Amino acid sequence: ETGVTQTPRHLVMGMTNKKSLKCEQHLGHNAMYWYKQSAKKPLELMFVYNFKEQTENNSVPSRFSPECPNSSHLFLHLHTLQPEDSALYLCASSPAAEWETDTQYFGPGTRLTVL
Amino acid sequence: AQKITQTQPGMFVQEKEAVTLDCTYDTSDQSYGLFWYKQPSSGEMIFLIYQGSYDEQNATEGRYSLNFQKARKSANLVISASQLGDSAMYFCAMRERNNQGGKLIFGQGTELSVKP
C-alpha cells in the first residue's frame, strides 16, 4: 500500500449505531487530519494530530471522537450521528503541522450516509 | 470575510486548450503557502502544485502552473493542453504561518469540464 488509505470507502449507518473510520498513511509523516466535506461546501477541518498529540479540535460535536494510536494510524469513532452528518470524510497526512510549506496528502475518503 | 475566493463555480474548456482557474486570497500574514488540489468524482483530493509567499518564480508542475500575483493576492491555476481526465473539481487552499494548527483554508471550488 502506498500513500494514504481509508476504510471503509462507503458506510451506511443508523442514528443509533456505533462505527469507526480508519485511516493509514504510508508516507512517514508525523501529522494527520480529519476533514468533512458536505455537498456544495468547502472542506471543513475537524481534527489535527501532530506527533500523536491532538493540536486542533475545530468545535466538532462529541459524537465524533478521534483516536491516533501512532503517527501512521488515525481513527474517527462515530456514535449517535444525525442525518446532517452524512458527508465525505477525508483523511490527510503531512510531514509535520508546523510550517506554511507543509503539504497535505489526502486519502480517497469515506462516503458516510446516516439514515 | 472569506479567506479564499474562487469566483468560477463551473468552467468549460475544449480538449487540448489551456484554461485558467481563478483564486484570490486574503491574509495579513507575511508568510503563507498556496495550494491547488484536484478532486475527481471518486472523491480523492489530489495535490497538484504549491506556491510559497516568498517564492519569486511562479510554480510549475508538468502541465500545471501557478500564476502568482502577490500584490493582487491572486494565485490562479493554469492547465495547459487540457485532457478529458482533467474534468474534476479544483480547490485552491491557503496555509498561514501564524496558524500553527495546520489548518488549510479551502475555497468553494471550481468544477472544470473538458469537452472532446
Side-chain angles (χ1 to χ4, degrees):
Chain A
E1 294 273 19
T2 59
V4 182
T5 58
Q6 288 187 244
T7 55
R9 294 293 310 276
H10 299 271
L11 179 62
V12 179
M13 59 187 289
M15 289 192 284
T16 58
N17 292 156
K18 288 186 181 181
K19 296 285 184 184
S20 295
L21 309 184
K22 179 183 175 182
C23 175
E24 185 173 0
Q25 59 95 0
H26 309 268
L27 300 169
H29 289 166
N30 294 300
M32 296 189 78
Y33 311 76
W34 279 117
Y35 286 87
K36 176 184 178 183
Q37 187 179 27
S38 303
K40 307 297 183 187
K41 287 188 179 181
L43 273 74
E44 303 169 50
L45 180 67
M46 300 175 73
F47 301 104
V48 180
Y49 279 82
N50 200 25
F51 294 92
K52 298 189 295 178
E53 298 294 322
Q54 185 175 317
T55 57
E56 181 110 358
N57 176 338
N58 211 25
S59 303
V60 180
S62 59
R63 57 186 184 269
F64 295 92
S65 173
E67 178 190 2
C68 187
N70 54 61
S71 58
S72 298
H73 294 86
L74 184 65
F75 295 89
L76 188 62
H77 303 300
L78 316 171
H79 63 98
T80 59
L81 294 191
Q82 305 298 312
E84 59 265 29
D85 296 322
S86 297
L88 180 68
Y89 289 84
L90 289 160
C91 174
S93 73
S94 69
E98 292 174 353
W99 303 109
E100 70 279 11
T101 57
D102 191 55
T103 299
Q104 295 180 22
Y105 295 88
F106 286 78
T110 295
R111 199 165 293 277
L112 173 68
T113 303
V114 181
L115 301 176
Chain B
Q2 264 189 309
K3 291 233 175 185
I4 296 284
T5 303
Q6 294 180 253
T7 57
Q8 307 151 313
M11 289 278 287
F12 289 92
V13 65
Q14 205 68 36
E15 194 178 7
K16 299 181 185 176
E17 292 185 351
V19 63
T20 298
L21 306 183
D22 295 342
C23 173
T24 58
Y25 59 92
D26 183 27
T27 181
S28 56
D29 210 334
Q30 294 301 309
S31 297
Y32 50 90
L34 297 157
F35 304 81
W36 276 92
Y37 287 87
K38 171 185 177 182
Q39 188 177 40
S41 56
S42 58
E44 182 175 3
M45 295 284 283
I46 302 167
F47 166 68
L48 295 178
I49 196 166
Y50 164 81
Q51 179 84 43
S53 59
Y54 288 113
D55 294 341
E56 294 188 350
Q57 293 200 326
N58 287 339
T60 59
E61 287 286 349
R63 294 187 298 111
Y64 304 108
S65 60
L66 204 151
N67 184 358
F68 181 45
Q69 298 187 41
K70 193 171 181 177
R72 296 180 61 185
K73 293 189 174 177
S74 75
N76 299 338
L77 178 71
V78 181
I79 305 175
S80 62
S82 297
Q83 301 172 357
L84 295 178
D86 294 335
S87 294
M89 285 291 291
Y90 288 81
F91 291 93
C92 179
M94 176 176 66
R95 173 126 177 230
E96 297 160 306
R97 171 171 287 200
N98 286 335
N99 186 340
Q100 292 297 309
K103 190 171 184 175
L104 259 183
I105 304 164
F106 283 85
Q108 297 272 28
T110 295
E111 185 170 11
L112 178 66
S113 298
V114 180
K115 293 183 171 181

